[in-house]
Amino acid sequence: MHRPDDIPKRHARWRLVIPVLVTAVALVAACSSTDEAGRTGGSPVASAPEGTSGATPGSQLPAEGCEPPDASPVAATPVPGVASDLDIESFDGTRIRTHWFPLDDASAAAPRPTVLMGPGWGLPGDTAVESVGVLGALNIGSLRDAGYNVLTWDPRGFGQSGGSAEVDSVDFEARDVQQLLNWLATMPEVQLDGPGDPTAGMVGGSYGGGIQLVTAAIDCRVDALVPVVAWHSLGTSLYKSDTFKQGWATILSGVTATASVDPHVASANASATSTGRLSEEDRDWFLDRGPAQLVEDITAPTLVVGGTVDTLFTLDEDITNFQILRDNGVPTAMYWFCGGHGACLTEPGDPARMQSAIISWLDRYVKGDEGIDTGPRFQLLDQNGVHYVADDYPTGSDEADPIVGSGSGELELVAEGGAGPSTAGGGAGLLDRLVGPITPARATNAVDVEVTTPGSSPQLVLGAPTLSATYRGTVADGERPTRVFAQLVDDATGLVLGNQITPIPVTLDGEEHEVRIPLEVVVFHATPRATVTLQLVATTTAYGQPRLGGAVTFSAIEVSLPVVTGVMPG
């Protein structure tokens, strides 16, 4: 996996050393006592202590070590005229608008477990009982049907909540959720694992996925997580290889035009739009937001859900979180579907299958039902909608020969003829309409390298292809970064694999240089003699425009597509 190597040491949470793959099954140590910021660490999985209230214990019980944070009584004010709504005062006095949907049969005599469901960036908490939101995998109704009270909320800065959005900061949004947990623990219809400790899991997509990870890292009361299309690092997702993801930044800034957002968000978008780079101050601010190093502190069982066509938080982000948790012995699984922050232009498969997997995960680790089979550790879809299962990720790619292509060529550094926008269509939803203009498509100004599947049997390409190139080139003077971009096009459909395109840093001083870099992770079922074209392009609608005016001559290009053997249809 590619991780930038120039992140300052003071931001160690953004560097990841991939540990040796292990299959440890014991969880890490119990959570620490509460610190002055109101944080508590994770608790071990344990059996229910005698006297625990509630009919069925959760997975993270109030065993020794899981101490709820000290808190004064929670101030909660009902919202006139809206039975489900109330305002909860957070740790710093900020008003957090919440939406409470307890089960009809939940009571002090028969309390029930609860699921907290966070919304996407810029959105208020979900209140539609039967419909699924833009990035949601579940709705309030399906969670209630499964036997859970449901709590949603407007994150600070959005909807009817006060304060300013701090991008899932561990010091702000995570502490807001801690206060929601404090409130839940006072409600008679809420099952408890112990005093002040509600039996509760979390679900939600994107921003609602990130908040799960940062909350669970500091509060051991969260029993299980299902982060859908979340991220590991905003450095490797929004600013991969120090290249600004301008297409997504414009969308994300637009949806919060009327919200209260920390000034760094607008500052970063403005500077990157004009120069192609972030200021050091803005970059450091974003590197302090979201999960990153905090994932090391999570002990809650976690089902990581990633999108094979997600162009904002690509699969590499999900893999990183998954591998950290797995290698720390946390019960963890990973599920990939055709969706997320991107248009599913291929077969989507059965969406009910993912919903079932999420409910099973909650039933196993929130309700504590040990009879639940949560399925294989790794599940995924190919471009034909075929579902695959594997014991783990990676899945035996070292045992199979990669599919390799090579070539050469010259690329003019001009704006015209770049990758995107896509005209392939997709769904009719709001997200599909938004992402079409920033989705890569086959370019006309490109160096093309054909890659052909050998043999007589189909093969599954799964993982990060590797690009190696020898080149020399020149470019006009300027402050924008020098980049080219790489994408893989399925010649049978004309679609870019997974809608993925990767920025490639290049040195254009007229001298010969070499580059070797992993591309974005893709899934592709390759039939015998199928061809895929690697395209090296000068521009793309996905990323900010690099410095132009010149040319790059690639004297040698090789691309290697990983093939896996440990995956079976299922």
Side-chain angles (χ1 to χ4, degrees):
M1 268 175 288
H2 176 58
R3 290 278 173 254
D5 57 7
D6 59 345
I7 294 175
K9 290 184 178 179
R10 64 180 179 277
H11 292 295
R13 72 173 59 175
W14 298 92
R15 298 197 313 271
L16 172 66
V17 178
I18 302 298
V20 176
L21 305 183
V22 296
T23 56
V25 294
L27 290 178
V28 294
C31 61
S32 62
S33 58
T34 304
D35 66 15
E36 64 273 13
R39 305 176 185 178
T40 63
S43 70
V45 172
S47 58
E50 293 184 7
T52 298
S53 64
T56 309
S59 66
Q60 290 197 297
L61 301 173
E64 53 236 310
C66 185
E67 300 179 6
D70 294 332
S72 56
V74 180
T77 305
V79 175
V82 187
S84 62
D85 287 11
L86 63 155
D87 289 329
I88 290 179
E89 185 177 306
S90 194
F91 70 97
D92 60 353
T94 297
R95 179 188 74 254
I96 303 298
R97 176 63 57 87
T98 59
H99 317 285
W100 178 227
F101 301 92
L103 290 166
D104 294 337
D105 61 353
S107 66
R112 306 296 287 274
T114 302
V115 170
L116 294 85
M117 182 167 67
W121 171 256
L123 298 174
D126 199 355
T127 58
V129 174
E130 298 302 333
S131 62
V132 178
V134 174
L135 288 171
L138 296 173
N139 56 35
I140 296 167
S142 61
L143 288 167
R144 283 162 52 90
D145 288 345
Y148 296 93
N149 304 315
V150 180
L151 181 69
T152 70
W153 71 100
D154 301 1
R156 63 168 58 214
F158 301 141
Q160 297 302 311
S161 288
S164 293
E166 296 291 333
V167 192
D168 279 348
S169 166
V170 68
D171 296 319
F172 291 94
E173 282 86 357
R175 295 181 68 188
D176 293 340
V177 176
Q178 285 191 304
Q179 191 73 333
L180 302 186
L181 291 168
N182 292 339
W183 176 79
L184 282 171
T186 69
M187 300 304 292
E189 63 264 52
V190 171
Q191 180 179 317
L192 300 180
D193 289 334
D197 183 0
T199 302
M202 296 184 73
V203 301
S206 190
Y207 200 58
I211 190 58
Q212 298 177 53
L213 298 167
V214 296
T215 300
I218 65 169
D219 201 313
C220 60
R221 294 176 294 172
V222 182
D223 295 318
L225 309 177
V226 186
V228 178
V229 294
W231 73 97
H232 178 74
S233 158
L234 293 177
T236 53
S237 55
L238 273 174
Y239 203 46
K240 184 179 289 287
S241 297
D242 287 344
T243 313
F244 195 61
K245 202 167 279 186
Q246 185 67 65
W248 267 111
T250 300
I251 291 174
L252 296 173
S253 295
V255 299
T256 58
T258 60
S260 178
V261 179
D262 189 285
H264 283 285
V265 175
S267 172
N269 193 39
S271 64
T273 299
S274 61
T275 69
R277 300 181 185 275
L278 295 180
S279 70
E280 183 175 354
E281 179 183 351
D282 285 339
R283 180 176 182 269
D284 289 350
W285 187 87
F286 275 101
L287 291 179
D288 250 348
R289 265 59 189 171
Q293 177 178 296
L294 293 170
V295 177
E296 293 280 1
D297 298 326
I298 294 172
T299 60
T302 303
L303 174 60
V304 177
V305 179
T308 59
V309 297
D310 197 307
T311 57
L312 175 59
F313 301 143
T314 59
L315 290 171
D316 186 57
E317 303 294 310
D318 303 296
I319 293 168
T320 301
N321 288 334
F322 166 78
Q323 291 185 326
I324 293 173
L325 294 167
R326 180 202 59 196
D327 294 347
N328 284 343
V330 177
T332 308
M334 187 162 59
Y335 193 112
W336 292 355
F337 72 113
C338 187
H341 305 88
C344 182
L345 304 177
T346 56
E347 292 295 327
D350 180 8
R353 191 162 191 163
M354 182 174 72
Q355 295 169 5
S356 176
I358 292 174
I359 294 295
S360 294
W361 193 265
L362 295 173
D363 288 349
R364 171 64 184 88
Y365 292 110
V366 178
K367 291 182 179 178
D369 186 347
E370 296 184 0
I372 294 293
D373 181 4
T374 58
R377 173 169 272 180
F378 181 37
Q379 303 182 61
L380 68 150
L381 290 178
D382 68 10
Q383 79 275 19
N384 301 313
V386 176
H387 184 264
Y388 293 83
V389 299
D391 293 335
D392 206 345
Y393 181 94
T395 56
S397 57
D398 291 339
E399 302 172 9
D401 293 332
I403 302 173
V404 178
S406 60
S408 60
E410 181 173 316
L411 177 66
E412 287 190 76
L413 300 179
V414 296
E416 297 76 18
S422 173
T423 59
L430 173 62
L431 185 61
D432 296 284
R433 295 194 299 271
L434 284 174
V435 301
I438 64 170
T439 300
R442 188 188 290 272
T444 55
N445 176 41
V447 173
D448 291 343
V449 176
E450 185 177 286
V451 186
T452 303
T453 305
S456 57
S457 301
Q459 301 185 64
L460 186 64
V461 174
L462 172 60
T466 301
L467 171 69
S468 301
T470 302
Y471 68 93
R472 69 172 69 230
T474 58
V475 69
D477 293 337
E479 60 181 337
R480 286 185 169 273
T482 50
R483 300 285 186 271
V484 296
F485 303 89
Q487 63 182 13
L488 293 160
V489 180
D490 176 6
D491 292 323
T493 64
L495 298 175
V496 174
L497 268 57
N499 301 336
Q500 301 299 331
I501 189 164
T502 307
I504 312 295
V506 288
T507 302
L508 302 179
D509 57 3
E511 301 297 322
E512 185 173 272
H513 297 277
E514 295 182 354
V515 63
R516 180 179 175 85
I517 192 170
L519 305 184
E520 294 285 8
V521 174
V522 295
V523 180
F524 179 67
H525 181 264
T527 57
R529 309 309 298 172
T531 62
V532 171
T533 298
L534 167 73
Q535 288 199 308
L536 295 178
V537 303
T539 61
T540 172
T541 56
Y543 283 88
Q545 183 171 289
R547 203 183 318 169
L548 302 175
V552 185
T553 299
F554 294 94
S555 57
I557 303 168
E558 182 174 286
V559 61
S560 176
L561 279 55
V563 174
V564 297
T565 57
V567 181
M568 298 295 293

